[in-house]
Every structure is written in C-alpha cells, then in structure tokens.
Amino acid sequence: MDRPSTKQLSDEPRGHHEQMPVQTVIEARSGWRLIDWRELVRYKDLLTFLVLRDVRVIYKQTVLGIGWAIIRPLFSMIVFSVVFGKMAKVPSDGIPYPIFSYAALVPWTYFATAMTASTESLVKDRRMITKVYFPRLVVPLAPVLAKLMDFAIAFLLLIALMLGYGYAPTWKILFLPILVVMMVATATGAGLWLSALAIQYRDVKYVAQFLVQLLMYAAPVVWPASLVPDQYRLLYGLYPMAGVIEGMRASLLGTGAMPWELIGMGAISTTVIVISGAFYFRRVERVFADVA
C-alpha cells in the first residue's frame, strides 16, 4: 500500500478560494524511487520503538539474558576448533585456531542472524502492515539495527580472548568502522531483498535458512582466505563477507596487510545489493498489505 501525494490547483487569484471549489489531484508515486529519507526521518520514533522491541524480545524471560549473545559464537568456536583445528588441521595463518575462528564468527553471526530476522520481519509484523500506513522500510531495518547489540557484546568477548592469548589490537583497528558499515549494509541489502520476497512467497524463509548455511562455508570462517588462489581473489572478493572477515582478522590479530582487494570488491557488490534491494522493495511494497 503506497501513500499518494496531493496538491491543490486553482487558477483563481487569492481571496476567491472560499467561493471556488478546490480541485484535488492524486498522483501515484513511482515504484522505482529509492529511499525517501525525509519520510524515514519523520518515522524515526517508530524505527526506534521497533529496534528496542526486538532487543527486548531477545532477552525477555530468558535465564541467561545477554549471555545468549555470546553462546552461539562461543560454542561454534569450540566445535570448529576441535573439528577443523585439531582433526582436519585446517591452517589458521599462524594464529591459535580458537581465536582465529572466533574473530570470524563474531561478524558472521551478526550477518547471519540479522539477515534471517530481517527476512522474517514483514511476515511477523503483517498485522501492523495491514492496519496503518508507515514506511515499510523500517520493518526489515529494525532487526538489522537490533542485532548490533549482540555484535557489540560478542565483540567485547573477542577482545577478552585476544588479551588472554596475548594479542593486542593493531593500529589497523582504525579501519574497523569501515568493515562494520559494510557488514551492516550487506545485511540490510540482503534483508530488503529477502523480506520483500518472503511476504509474497512464504517458502523464502526456509530458503534463507539453507542459504545461510551455504554462505557460512563459502566465507573464510573456518579457513583462511589465503587458501584462495591469487587469480581468483578478486572474484572471491565479490562475496562481501570475505572482505569483512579477513579485514577484521587483519585489523585485530595482525594476520597480514589489510585485504583491500577483497574489501574493495566487496564494497562494490554491497552497493549493488543495497541499491537493487531498495529498488525492489519500493517496487513491490504497495502489495504488501494485500498479500500479508
């Protein structure tokens, strides 16, 4: 459901409006318009409410509370360290495998959970969508922002593990905000695509869960990107999370120079994912209330 814009037309001079009938013209808004930032700012209170709601839902009536933010990457780190580090002897660029894998699991867990939650957001809030107008964009955007809380908590544990293993962040940590922005933007773009598809085709939710598993093993989470042959590194960099994960390892653990070739290619594909996702979302949002 799209909100129309209105304007008033009258050829009569001022002072005659009270006597002359007012003609109202209703114009359909283009479905290919990108994000309406002014409208989004007007509804910032709603976005804030949805973000805080998603944060509270995660920890409400749970025994471990915020501990759930670190349990998933922590237990994954333990399993990966045994299976891939001890048994499969996967190389880790000279870094102890537990911290090598955990440094990748922190951004990956954020991306996976944010994308999954964003995919399901429109279906979850379909009652609200069918009853009142507001920019639909805030719905898939809210879980992407809410998951930053989990990311921050898991990141603090990463710093503690680094200090425990005798690693201090390098000066390259200054590049960390670039990687975080890229990580959030990738989750946002994927969330826009998948949430718009999921409200029309409910099996997309199951496809997204399967997709997350495939993407994890394609990302350099349990193995280093140095295993990728040089002639394929630029092509591999089109996978945005490859640059984010390798960049985070380089900036925090000093595994080598910043992988700008991966980050640069990932930034290009992230931009394409976000812009195309925003276009598609805006194109089909007018039917959300009908199919929800």
Side-chain angles (χ1 to χ4, degrees), residues 20 44 70 125 136 152 239 274 283:
M20 297 299 296
K44 61 181 183 302
I70 60 175
D125 289 328
R136 303 331 191 193
Y239 183 16
V274 171
R283 176 66 177 172

Side-chain angles (χ1 to χ4, degrees), residues 56-129:
R56 293 192 191 101
V57 166
I58 296 173
Y59 306 118
K60 187 178 181 181
Q61 295 182 336
T62 60
V63 176
L64 297 179
I66 62 172
W68 287 110
I70 60 175
I71 283 178
R72 182 174 176 177
L74 185 63
F75 276 73
S76 296
M77 178 197 74
I78 295 172
V79 173
F80 290 166
S81 298
V82 173
V83 176
F84 298 102
K86 294 291 184 182
M87 300 173 66
K89 303 294 183 184
V90 174
S92 58
D93 290 340
I95 304 295
Y97 198 88
I99 194 170
F100 169 84
S101 59
Y102 190 78
L105 281 166
V106 172
W108 171 257
T109 302
Y110 165 80
F111 172 73
T113 56
M115 188 183 79
T116 303
S118 184
T119 299
E120 300 172 0
S121 60
L122 286 174
V123 176
K124 185 180 69 177
D125 289 328
R126 60 184 179 277
R127 291 184 179 178
M128 186 169 63
I129 291 173

Side-chain angles (χ1 to χ4, degrees), residues 2 14 66-67 72 75 126 138 152 169 180 222 236 248 280:
D2 206 4
R14 288 189 174 182
I66 62 172
R72 182 174 176 177
F75 276 73
R126 60 184 179 277
V138 302
V180 172
V222 299
Y236 182 60
M248 193 161 289
Y280 181 71

Side-chain angles (χ1 to χ4, degrees), residues 5-237:
S5 60
T6 62
K7 64 181 182 179
Q8 297 178 349
L9 297 177
S10 175
D11 295 327
E12 296 297 325
R14 288 189 174 182
H16 292 259
H17 289 291
E18 295 182 358
Q19 292 77 28
M20 297 299 296
V22 177
Q23 182 181 6
T24 301
V25 178
I26 301 176
E27 296 176 329
R29 193 167 52 190
S30 171
W32 291 106
R33 185 185 299 177
L34 260 180
I35 300 171
D36 187 341
W37 294 105
R38 289 185 178 179
E39 185 181 54
L40 204 57
V41 170
R42 285 201 302 272
Y43 285 87
K44 61 181 183 302
D45 292 339
L46 175 62
L47 177 60
T48 303
F49 169 80
L50 293 177
V51 171
L52 295 177
R53 181 202 63 178
D54 287 351
V55 171
R56 293 192 191 101
V57 166
I58 296 173
Y59 306 118
K60 187 178 181 181
Q61 295 182 336
T62 60
V63 176
L64 297 179
I66 62 172
W68 287 110
I70 60 175
I71 283 178
R72 182 174 176 177
L74 185 63
F75 276 73
S76 296
M77 178 197 74
I78 295 172
V79 173
F80 290 166
S81 298
V82 173
V83 176
F84 298 102
K86 294 291 184 182
M87 300 173 66
K89 303 294 183 184
V90 174
S92 58
D93 290 340
I95 304 295
Y97 198 88
I99 194 170
F100 169 84
S101 59
Y102 190 78
L105 281 166
V106 172
W108 171 257
T109 302
Y110 165 80
F111 172 73
T113 56
M115 188 183 79
T116 303
S118 184
T119 299
E120 300 172 0
S121 60
L122 286 174
V123 176
K124 185 180 69 177
D125 289 328
R126 60 184 179 277
R127 291 184 179 178
M128 186 169 63
I129 291 173
T130 57
K131 291 181 179 178
V132 62
Y133 174 81
F134 61 91
R136 303 331 191 193
L137 187 66
V138 302
V139 177
L141 192 57
V144 172
L145 298 177
K147 293 298 179 185
L148 284 173
M149 173 69 77
D150 288 357
F151 174 79
I153 296 170
F155 187 81
L156 291 177
L157 178 62
L158 172 61
I159 297 297
L161 285 174
M162 288 174 54
L163 296 177
Y165 276 92
Y167 285 87
T170 69
W171 65 269
K172 299 173 199 167
I173 198 173
L174 296 175
F175 297 123
L176 197 61
I178 298 175
L179 303 174
V180 172
V181 169
M182 192 168 153
M183 176 185 71
V184 174
T186 304
T188 301
L192 291 177
W193 267 109
L194 294 174
S195 61
L197 289 170
I199 198 169
Q200 301 175 82
Y201 313 101
R202 300 301 165 86
D203 19 13
V204 171
K205 179 178 70 173
Y206 305 105
V207 173
Q209 294 172 358
F210 179 64
L211 186 64
V212 164
Q213 295 180 359
L214 292 180
L215 290 176
M216 192 201 75
Y217 288 104
V221 175
V222 299
W223 51 275
S226 57
L227 294 180
V228 178
D230 291 341
Q231 62 267 33
Y232 299 122
R233 280 184 69 83
L234 286 180
L235 183 62
Y236 182 60

